[in-house]
Amino acid sequence: MPINILIAGPPGAGKGTQCERIVKEFGVVHISTGDLLRQEKADKTPLGLSAAEYMSKGALVPDELVIAMVKARFEKPDVKAKGWLLDGFPRSRPQADAMVQQGIIPDLFILLAVPDEALVVRICGRRTDPVTGIIYHDTFKPCTDPEILARLETRADDTKEALEKRLVGYHQHIAAIRDCYKAMTVEVDGNRTPDAVAAEVLGAIRKKQKGSSSCCCNIRPFHLAFLAFFFAPVFANLLKA
Ligand code: AMP
C-alpha cells in the first residue's frame, strides 16, 4: 500500500532536503505548493501572476487559489498509484478543511521543529541554481563552480524582512492545523545535521508502513498458534461426534 505523508516546518527547516530523501526511499509523489506556485509564476499563468505579489512579500496566497491548485494536482493518477508527500499545505484551517472534504488524509504528519533564531542564518544565504534546482548556501553548502556561481539566484522571499513575516504566518498556520493531525503527528528535532534528522524521519515512516501492513494482512506465526490452541478442542469434539 502506498504511504501518504504530510510534512511541515518553518521556512528553512530543511523540508526540501528531507523530502528528497523520503522520495528516494519510498517513491512517493512530492507535492510542494511553494514549488507549484513558483512554476506557475515562471510560466506567467494567471494564477502565477496573482500569486507572485503575495509570495514576494512573504504573505499567504489566498486559500481559494491554492486549494484549487492542490485539488487539480491530486486528480492526476500518479498520486494514487505511488502515494504522496504533501509539503507546504495546508497552511490555514480552511485549507485543512478542504483536504478533509476531498478525502486527502495523511497516514503520518511529520513536523520539523527548528527555533526561529536558527532559521535566519539558514535562510539568508540560501541560493538556488535555476538550471538544476539545487539549493546552495553561502556558509553551509557553498558553490565552488564559478559557472554555476554566476547564475545562482536568491528567492525573492529569502530576505530577513520577508522571513520575519513568513515566521509569524508559520506560527499562526501551524497552530490552526496542528489539532487536525494530532493522532498521526511525529515531531522531529530539525536543529541537527540533515543525516541525523533523516534517520529519525525515515525511521518514523518505515515504522508507520510496517504497522499498517501488519495490522491488516500480515498473519504471523503466533496468530496461527493462538488459533490452533483456541480451535483444537472444537475440532477434537467434531471428530469424536
Ligand atoms: P514555500 O516554498 O513553501 O516556503 O512557499 C513559498 C510561498 O508560496 C509562501 O511564502 C506563500 O506565499 C506561498 N504558498 C505556498 N504554499 C502556500 C499555501 N498552502 N497557502 C498559501 N500560500 C502558499
Side-chain angles (χ1 to χ4, degrees):
M1 274 281 280
I3 190 153
N4 301 320
I5 307 157
L6 186 61
I7 189 162
K15 290 193 297 290
T17 309
Q18 298 305 321
C19 286
E20 263 175 40
R21 300 201 184 190
I22 296 170
V23 170
K24 197 166 164 211
E25 177 162 340
F26 299 95
V28 287
V29 179
H30 180 209
I31 302 173
S32 151
T33 45
D35 286 350
L36 291 178
L37 288 166
R38 278 184 285 278
Q39 189 58 53
E40 296 279 343
K41 195 175 138 191
D43 294 344
K44 296 192 168 57
T45 64
L47 166 60
L49 296 175
S50 331
E53 204 186 310
Y54 298 93
M55 292 169 77
S56 62
K57 291 186 210 141
L60 286 189
V61 174
D63 284 335
E64 61 276 18
L65 297 180
V66 187
I67 290 170
M69 180 182 77
V70 169
K71 193 171 164 249
R73 182 63 188 89
F74 267 83
E75 276 161 9
K76 296 194 178 163
D78 58 342
V79 177
K80 224 178 219 148
K82 298 179 176 174
W84 46 264
L85 169 62
L86 187 54
D87 161 13
F89 187 95
R91 262 168 149 112
S92 67
R93 192 60 197 231
Q95 292 181 11
D97 293 343
M99 266 182 76
V100 176
Q101 271 170 15
Q102 300 293 320
I104 305 171
I105 315 283
D107 299 307
L108 196 62
F109 175 41
I110 295 171
L111 185 55
L112 295 181
V114 179
D116 288 3
E117 316 78 75
L119 296 168
V120 181
V121 187
R122 286 191 188 190
I123 286 280
C124 304
R126 201 158 72 161
R127 317 252 179 265
T128 310
D129 177 358
V131 176
T132 60
I134 295 175
I135 298 173
Y136 295 88
H137 191 284
D138 291 348
T139 313
F140 306 125
K141 192 183 171 189
C143 172
T144 46
D145 182 323
E147 196 185 322
I148 301 175
L149 196 61
R151 65 179 187 230
L152 292 187
E153 293 174 350
T154 301
R155 261 172 58 173
D157 55 355
D158 275 353
T159 61
K160 197 162 181 282
E161 298 69 37
L163 176 65
E164 276 161 14
K165 195 157 181 200
R166 286 162 76 196
L167 281 177
V168 172
Y170 170 74
H171 290 298
Q172 278 167 356
H173 97 243
I174 210 67
I177 67 163
R178 244 189 128 120
D179 282 354
C180 307
Y181 305 107
K182 243 184 199 159
M184 60 278 262
T185 300
V186 174
E187 187 164 334
V188 176
D189 175 6
N191 201 16
R192 296 175 289 165
T193 63
D195 285 345
V197 178
E200 201 174 328
V201 166
L202 300 175
I205 303 172
R206 283 183 210 123
K207 193 171 159 201
K208 184 77 201 179
Q209 247 190 351
K210 220 169 157 193
S212 25
S213 62
S214 66
C215 74
C216 54
C217 54
N218 217 358
I219 295 175
R220 292 172 187 277
F222 68 84
H223 294 136
L224 293 173
F226 176 78
L227 288 173
F229 176 78
F230 193 76
F231 284 108
V234 179
F235 283 122
N237 280 338
L238 279 175
L239 286 174
K240 258 191 234 160

